[in-house]
Amino acid sequence: MKNSNQEEDKITFKNLRRLYFFALLTIAVTIILSQVLVQYNLNQQLSDSKIINFSGKQRMLSQKIVKEVLILHYVSDSATAKKKSHLKKVLSNWKDNHDALENGSDSLGFPHQKSEILNQLYLEIEPSFSRIYTASNILISNLNDKNKQVENQKLVQVILKNEGIFLSKMNQIVTQYDLEAHEKVTQQRKIEYWIFGFTLFVLLLEFFFIFKPTNKKIEKLITRLLSSEKKALKLAYDTEIISEIKENSVKELKSLNYAMENTLLYCRIAPDGSIIHIGEKFAKLLNYTKFSSNKKFSEVLTTDEKEQLNIDRIIFEKHRSGWQGEIKIVNKENQTIWLDLSMVPVTIKKEESELLIICFNITERKKAQREVERLNIENSTEKINQQKIISSKIVENQENEQNRIAKEIHDGIGQMLTGLKFSLESINLDDKEKSSQKIEYLKKLSLDIIKGVRTATFNLMPPELSDHGIVSSLAKLTQELSKLTGKEILFYNKTDFKQRLDSLIEINIYRLTQEAINNAIKYAESSHIIVQLSHSETLLSIIVDDNGKGFDINEVDKKRNSESGMGLLFMKERIQYINGRVFFKSIPGEGTRITFNIPI
């Protein structure tokens, strides 16, 4: 049924092509015939305007001849010879034009055949033309002979008499030419109307007998095509799963092909280890040539016999399941090369298989790993040494701080408590006057003891830090240090920060700021120290500026074991505990700026 419909569609298409070809051929023939007729008539009319122009020019030339004849006859001057020559040219031109009009001219495009009326008019004008032409030539010849004045006078009369007749007949000729041209245009219009009507008639016939039946056939054909389209869509839907499976297979094949094309080192070997094919780049790496084609893959891969046995063992054991790992080989130049090698089993036929070897040269990576391991060991050793130094310094500072606090308690608070004890024991309640004086003294001593205890505890952990936060504790720290050292130490909360932070973060910020101020006092010999606190949504920033002597940061970094170098290192280590960063900027002779940035 399907083949029958296809055959019927083919026949229908052939018939449609024939009908359309016939319709187009009919229109083309009609257009060609109409153009032939139009061009023929146009060619007939091409010379009409030129002939009318030449006819009018003949009248003008005849009048010019008469005028110059009269001038030559009645006026004699020095230019007579020149005028005679000019008159001869005019006469020659007049005669040539008359012959072209009367007999036709190929060069001018004048037709040789004319209507009966024009032929009659030319016969009637010929005597007058000949008389004027002959008389004018005789007159020109007689001008130099004074004895022929009477004859010349008669010749002038002949010219004047025939001039009127010539002009009258020439007017009739021009009028006749114009009438005939108008008749040709009218005839051309009739022909074009006839062609137009004929074309419309042909189009109507084609519409009723070709286009309309063809349209019905096309509608039937489109209906059949739509039905076929539905069937094709259903068939496409049914085969969509198969197409997807094929597409996936093609994608996998393309991926495999792309991988193979872009793998630098690859080859194919048989299960017994013999080489089937080796890639050009792999061959170049292993110095493999055609002369080595009888060798096994392991023999080409390395010159080390132990490695060869190991590779042969892997091929024998893993030629069905595959293998992946790193191997070290030694090439012919005794260069050690590390390869990341993968063996992929590939089934060619039912009982025939081979191994696809894909390698990556990881020699540089191995060298880099060894270098990284060496550097890591060096860095670890250096870091351990630094940590030891830092730990020893921390212990030393703790001991110094404990000794200082112990000395303050022993020399200050201890002595005051001893004095308080002896004063209490020496009070004699019977002597009221002395007892009251000692009690006043004891009150003052108690206040000094309380003040000393507060100073000691402030150095250990300021109560403002736990009670009010970092802003209050830093303000208190700058005030106390300013009183103790006599230096101008100022604190500015530039962004009005009031937020409380984690206690560990606040303690480290406090100790970092304390360390920076103490360094400015102890080492920088500065007189003015400014502490600025500012913040954003994610960052808290503390800047400590001093006008001290400054230092060379690069030189201090080189001297890690010096006190100043260890101080900078302590700051870097401590701020890392709270995920912050510290920046040092110092100019020798001008001062130092230390910036702490802590995320909040």
Side-chain angles (χ1 to χ4, degrees):
M1 183 66 181
K2 186 176 179 181
N3 293 332
S4 176
N5 289 335
Q6 289 179 349
E7 290 296 328
E8 187 178 346
D9 291 342
K10 288 181 180 179
I11 294 170
T12 302
F13 276 118
K14 286 181 180 179
N15 292 333
L16 287 175
R17 282 202 300 269
R18 289 171 182 171
L19 288 172
Y20 274 105
F21 177 75
F22 176 74
L24 293 174
L25 180 63
T26 305
I27 294 171
V29 169
T30 304
I31 292 171
I32 292 169
L33 288 175
S34 63
Q35 283 297 313
V36 169
L37 291 172
V38 169
Q39 292 299 323
Y40 175 77
N41 289 323
L42 288 175
N43 288 329
Q44 293 290 323
Q45 297 172 25
L46 284 175
S47 60
D48 288 349
S49 60
K50 197 171 184 180
I51 290 173
I52 293 171
N53 185 32
F54 265 68
S55 301
K57 188 177 178 181
Q58 283 296 91
R59 292 182 297 178
M60 181 269 293
L61 288 175
S62 66
Q63 292 173 347
K64 188 173 182 181
I65 290 168
V66 172
K67 181 180 177 182
E68 291 192 5
V69 164
L70 292 174
I71 291 170
L72 287 172
H73 178 69
Y74 293 106
V75 179
S76 179
D77 54 18
S78 59
T80 300
K82 187 175 181 181
K83 290 177 180 179
K84 284 169 60 179
S85 175
H86 181 262
L87 181 57
K88 285 182 179 180
K89 289 181 181 179
V90 173
L91 282 170
S92 176
N93 189 18
W94 188 52
K95 186 176 186 309
D96 292 340
N97 289 347
H98 186 77
D99 291 340
L101 289 170
E102 184 176 3
N103 302 317
S105 173
D106 294 331
S107 61
L108 294 175
F110 293 169
H112 295 280
Q113 299 294 329
K114 291 182 289 296
S115 64
E116 292 295 330
I117 297 173
L118 284 173
N119 286 329
Q120 183 62 36
L121 289 172
Y122 275 113
L123 287 174
E124 292 175 359
I125 201 175
E126 180 61 30
S128 299
F129 173 80
S130 299
R131 291 190 189 103
I132 294 171
Y133 181 76
T134 304
S136 296
N137 281 318
I138 295 171
L139 180 65
I140 290 169
S141 301
N142 294 340
L143 281 175
N144 294 330
D145 191 350
K146 294 181 179 180
N147 295 325
K148 296 185 178 181
Q149 289 294 329
V150 177
E151 184 181 353
N152 288 344
Q153 183 65 32
K154 291 179 180 179
L155 291 172
V156 169
Q157 292 300 322
V158 170
I159 292 170
L160 291 173
K161 181 179 178 182
N162 286 280
E163 169 65 10
I165 298 170
F166 179 81
L167 288 175
S168 176
K169 293 296 181 181
M170 206 65 211
N171 286 335
Q172 293 178 15
I173 290 172
V174 171
T175 302
Q176 183 62 31
Y177 273 125
D178 187 57
L179 288 173
E180 290 182 2
H182 185 267
E183 287 178 0
K184 289 179 182 179
V185 172
T186 304
Q187 185 67 25
Q188 175 66 26
R189 185 180 297 140
K190 290 178 180 179
I191 291 171
E192 288 182 356
Y193 281 145
W194 182 86
I195 293 171
F196 177 71
F198 179 75
T199 304
L200 287 178
F201 177 71
V202 170
L203 290 174
L204 284 172
L205 289 176
E206 290 182 351
F207 175 76
F208 285 108
F209 295 102
I210 296 177
F211 294 117
K212 193 172 181 180
T214 303
N215 185 48
K216 291 181 179 180
K217 291 181 180 180
I218 290 173
E219 287 178 354
K220 291 180 181 178
L221 184 60
I222 290 173
T223 303
R224 192 179 301 164
L225 288 172
L226 289 173
S227 177
S228 300
E229 184 183 7
K230 289 179 181 179
K231 293 178 182 178
L233 289 173
K234 187 177 182 303
L235 182 62
Y237 179 78
D238 293 337
T239 57
E240 185 175 357
I241 297 174
I242 299 173
S243 298
E244 288 180 0
I245 294 171
K246 288 183 178 179
E247 186 177 354
N248 291 332
S249 300
V250 170
K251 285 182 179 178
E252 290 176 2
L253 185 60
K254 286 183 178 179
S255 299
L256 180 61
N257 184 53
Y258 179 82
M260 290 299 298
E261 290 296 327
N262 290 273
T263 299
L264 296 176
L265 308 171
Y266 73 96
C267 72
R268 292 160 49 213
I269 64 173
D272 62 355
S274 59
I275 296 173
I276 299 172
H277 172 74
I278 188 168
E280 184 178 348
K281 291 187 178 181
F282 201 10
K284 190 178 293 184
L285 177 68
L286 302 176
N287 293 323
Y288 176 84
T289 60
K290 293 181 179 179
F291 300 104
S292 309
S293 58
N294 58 343
K295 291 184 178 181
K296 287 187 175 182
F297 175 68
S298 59
E299 295 173 351
V300 174
L301 196 62
T302 180
T303 57
D304 191 328
E305 292 183 0
K306 291 182 178 180
E307 287 294 330
Q308 290 176 1
L309 291 172
N310 184 40
I311 294 166
D312 287 335
R313 180 184 59 78
I314 292 172
I315 293 172
F316 176 75
E317 294 177 354
K318 304 293 183 180
H319 72 277
R320 292 186 181 277
S321 60
W323 182 84
Q324 194 275 332
E326 295 179 357
I327 62 170
K328 183 177 72 172
I329 64 172
V330 179
N331 63 8
K332 293 180 180 179
E333 284 78 19
N334 288 324
Q335 294 176 338
T336 300
I337 300 173
W338 281 89
L339 296 176
D340 186 351
L341 187 144
S342 297
M343 294 184 182
V344 183
V346 179
T347 302
I348 305 301
K349 294 180 182 179
K350 190 174 182 180
E351 296 180 355
E352 184 179 347
S353 64
E354 62 182 48
L355 280 172
L356 176 64
I357 307 294
I358 300 173
C359 300
F360 295 94
N361 191 343
I362 58 171
T363 305
E364 295 298 324
R365 189 177 77 187
K366 283 290 184 180
K367 290 180 181 178
Q369 285 177 352
R370 290 177 180 175
E371 182 65 18
V372 168
E373 289 172 359
R374 185 185 66 79
L375 292 174
N376 286 338
I377 292 170
E378 291 181 359
N379 290 336
S380 299
T381 305
E382 184 179 355
K383 209 164 193 180
I384 290 169
N385 293 332
Q386 287 182 1
Q387 289 295 336
K388 287 180 180 178
I389 295 170
I390 291 170
S391 299
S392 63
K393 287 291 182 180
I394 289 172
V395 172
E396 183 182 346
N397 287 339
Q398 287 176 346
E399 290 294 328
N400 292 334
E401 187 67 15
Q402 288 175 0
N403 291 332
R404 184 184 64 77
I405 294 170
K407 188 177 181 182
E408 284 183 0
I409 293 172
H410 181 271
D411 295 343
I413 299 171
Q415 290 180 2
M416 285 188 287
L417 288 172
T418 303
L420 179 62
K421 176 179 177 295
F422 286 122
S423 296
L424 286 170
E425 291 176 350
S426 64
I427 293 175
N428 187 2
L429 296 176
D430 296 331
D431 189 352
K432 293 182 178 180
E433 184 177 352
K434 288 184 179 180
S435 296
S436 61
Q437 289 178 356
K438 285 185 177 181
I439 289 170
E440 290 296 327
Y441 171 73
L442 290 174
K443 288 180 180 179
K444 184 179 178 183
L445 185 60
S446 298
L447 290 174
D448 291 338
I449 291 170
I450 292 169
K451 186 177 180 181
V453 172
R454 284 181 177 176
T455 301
T457 56
F458 177 79
N459 289 330
L460 290 173
M461 177 60 69
E464 283 83 359
L465 189 60
S466 58
D467 296 340
H468 304 291
I470 189 64
V471 176
S472 297
S473 61
L474 290 180
K476 183 71 174 176
L477 174 66
T478 54
Q479 290 175 5
E480 292 296 328
L481 290 176
S482 182
K483 289 177 183 178
L484 290 171
T485 61
K487 299 181 184 295
E488 188 174 5
I489 305 174
L490 303 175
F491 173 72
Y492 296 101
N493 185 2
K494 296 178 67 177
T495 56
D496 196 21
F497 181 73
K498 297 177 181 179
Q499 185 178 340
R500 289 302 302 268
L501 304 175
D502 183 78
S503 60
L504 180 63
I505 295 176
E506 289 186 337
I507 290 169
N508 278 283
I509 292 173
Y510 181 85
R511 293 304 180 196
L512 286 165
T513 309
Q514 187 180 39
E515 178 74 17
I517 296 173
N518 287 334
N519 286 343
I521 295 170
K522 187 175 180 180
Y523 303 113
E525 301 176 2
S526 57
S527 60
H528 292 77
I529 301 169
I530 298 174
V531 181
Q532 302 176 69
L533 184 146
S534 60
H535 78 288
S536 64
E537 291 182 0
T538 58
L539 194 70
L540 177 68
S541 180
I542 298 171
I543 300 173
V544 181
D545 286 313
D546 68 67
N547 63 342
K549 60 183 180 181
F551 60 90
D552 189 337
I553 295 174
N554 295 325
E555 291 296 326
V556 171
D557 285 338
K558 292 177 183 177
K559 300 175 181 178
R560 288 289 180 89
N561 295 327
S562 65
E563 289 191 17
S564 57
M566 291 306 298
L568 299 183
L569 188 59
F570 289 157
M571 290 185 190
K572 291 178 181 178
E573 290 289 334
R574 185 182 284 275
I575 202 165
Q576 285 180 2
Y577 297 152
I578 55 176
N579 297 321
R581 298 184 68 187
V582 61
F583 302 94
F584 302 100
K585 183 178 180 181
S586 184
I587 300 174
E590 294 186 15
T592 302
R593 166 173 285 191
I594 301 175
T595 303
F596 303 107
N597 289 336
I598 303 98
I600 57 175

